[in-house]
Amino acid sequence: MKAMILAAGLGTRLRPLTDDRPKALVEVAGHTLLEITLNRLRAFGIQDVIVNAHHYADMIVDYLKANQNFGMRIEVSREEELLDTGGGLKNAAHFFLEPGADSKEPFLLHNVDIISTIDFSQIVRFHVTNDALATLAVQKRQTSRYLLFDEQGQLCGRRSGSPEVGEVRQDELVRPAYSTRFLAFSGIHVISSRIFAEMKEEGSFSIIKAYLNLAARGEKIIAFRADGSYWRDLGRPANVSEASEDIRNGQYSVA
């Protein structure tokens, strides 16, 4: 199984930590975000990984070389212009469609700026059992941007806005649903390779927008509930400090 790490963002929310480095090389308790993610993937048995890069891309290349790619086969997908999450994935399609690749084998897509204990084995098994195009690890927690799923657990829309901070809540339904559940996305997906033939968007675009378009066309984009798992977004310096404390007190392990 292969994986992609989304690491091309500018990391503006992480400033000043990203003033002189990409967010992938921001450290948590002495370990870079990229190292932590790679270790998680390798522990699951993944050896083939592609990492997209834009901001300080050369630093990521040099870092991987200095660490012998952590014993893995790693390719860097350079983006001269930011392609967002969907465009970045589509730009890396060659890695998943190379000659000899099993077109039926799914791959894992993982944001570099999140850490979690979400069980990759379980989400992959859930994805395959349900014959989904994409499976999104989600949780019931507070966020300003929810994804909406119907009674069968299939993506049917999204919700934005936080009334508690004065924002107007807006729901966007892309297909009818008798009832909906609003869940927070974790930044971890399992995706079937045929998605590259189905994504019609070009250039820079969000993978969530692509998912909504695919769901509107009847494609199976499903929720994997990971409510009991540890999860933390490391998008801000305060989050990094909190994660470092979690590691020190044994709540999360980078081993």
Side-chain angles (χ1 to χ4, degrees):
M1 188 174 184
K2 297 178 179 178
M4 180 172 185
I5 299 174
L6 294 172
L10 298 176
T12 52
R13 293 186 304 148
L14 269 170
R15 289 175 178 162
L17 300 180
T18 50
D19 284 347
D20 61 352
R21 70 191 63 196
K23 65 180 177 180
L25 299 187
V26 168
E27 293 190 358
V28 181
H31 302 270
T32 67
L33 297 182
L34 183 55
E35 176 192 359
I36 292 170
T37 307
L38 288 170
N39 284 344
R40 280 270 286 149
L41 295 173
R42 189 175 59 236
F44 175 61
I46 292 177
Q47 290 291 324
D48 300 304
V49 179
I50 188 166
V51 182
N52 69 338
H54 169 77
H55 186 53
Y56 290 114
D58 287 339
M59 289 185 69
I60 292 178
V61 172
D62 292 343
Y63 173 77
L64 290 170
K65 184 178 180 180
N67 287 279
Q68 294 79 48
N69 284 346
F70 294 90
M72 306 166 77
R73 175 201 168 207
I74 300 178
E75 182 177 320
V76 175
S77 175
R78 289 176 178 265
E79 297 179 10
E80 297 305 317
E81 296 182 1
L82 277 173
L83 296 174
D84 207 339
T85 50
L89 173 60
K90 193 168 186 178
N91 190 54
H94 67 277
F95 185 76
F96 301 101
L97 303 176
E98 59 190 359
D102 183 352
S103 61
K104 294 184 179 180
E105 184 177 44
F107 62 90
L108 199 147
L109 185 63
H110 196 297
N111 290 4
V112 77
D113 54 0
I114 62 107
I115 59 174
S116 82
T117 59
I118 292 173
D119 191 317
F120 295 161
S121 297
Q122 288 186 7
I123 187 174
V124 170
R125 187 160 53 246
F126 187 80
H127 173 85
V128 172
T129 299
N130 287 277
D131 192 27
L133 179 63
T135 300
L136 315 183
V138 295
Q139 295 177 318
K140 186 68 175 178
R141 55 178 167 77
Q142 191 171 30
T143 182
S144 60
R145 294 178 294 178
Y146 290 102
L147 295 180
L148 303 179
F149 295 88
D150 66 15
E151 56 274 17
Q152 278 80 45
Q154 296 194 41
L155 182 68
C156 60
R158 64 178 164 184
R159 169 180 291 180
S160 61
S162 299
E164 60 273 12
V165 294
E167 296 176 350
V168 176
R169 191 180 74 188
Q170 294 182 319
D171 286 359
E172 174 190 355
L173 281 176
V174 297
R175 59 183 186 80
Y178 178 74
S179 63
T180 59
R181 297 183 183 92
F182 50 97
L183 298 166
F185 180 44
S186 73
I188 296 173
H189 344 211
V190 175
I191 307 171
S192 296
S193 295
R194 70 180 182 87
I195 195 169
F196 297 112
E198 302 298 334
M199 285 193 297
K200 307 305 180 186
E201 298 82 3
E202 299 291 342
S204 175
F205 63 93
S206 162
I207 189 65
I208 297 300
K209 181 60 178 176
Y211 285 153
L212 291 168
N213 291 337
L214 289 164
R217 292 179 1 225
E219 291 289 352
K220 199 172 184 181
I221 315 295
I222 64 174
F224 172 80
R225 296 294 294 268
D227 298 307
S229 299
Y230 172 94
W231 181 91
R232 190 179 286 281
D233 171 22
L234 301 179
R236 300 181 186 279
N239 304 140
V240 174
S241 298
E242 291 163 359
S244 296
E245 182 60 28
D246 290 345
I247 292 169
R248 283 191 290 269
N249 65 29
Q251 188 174 353
Y252 182 81
S253 174
V254 296

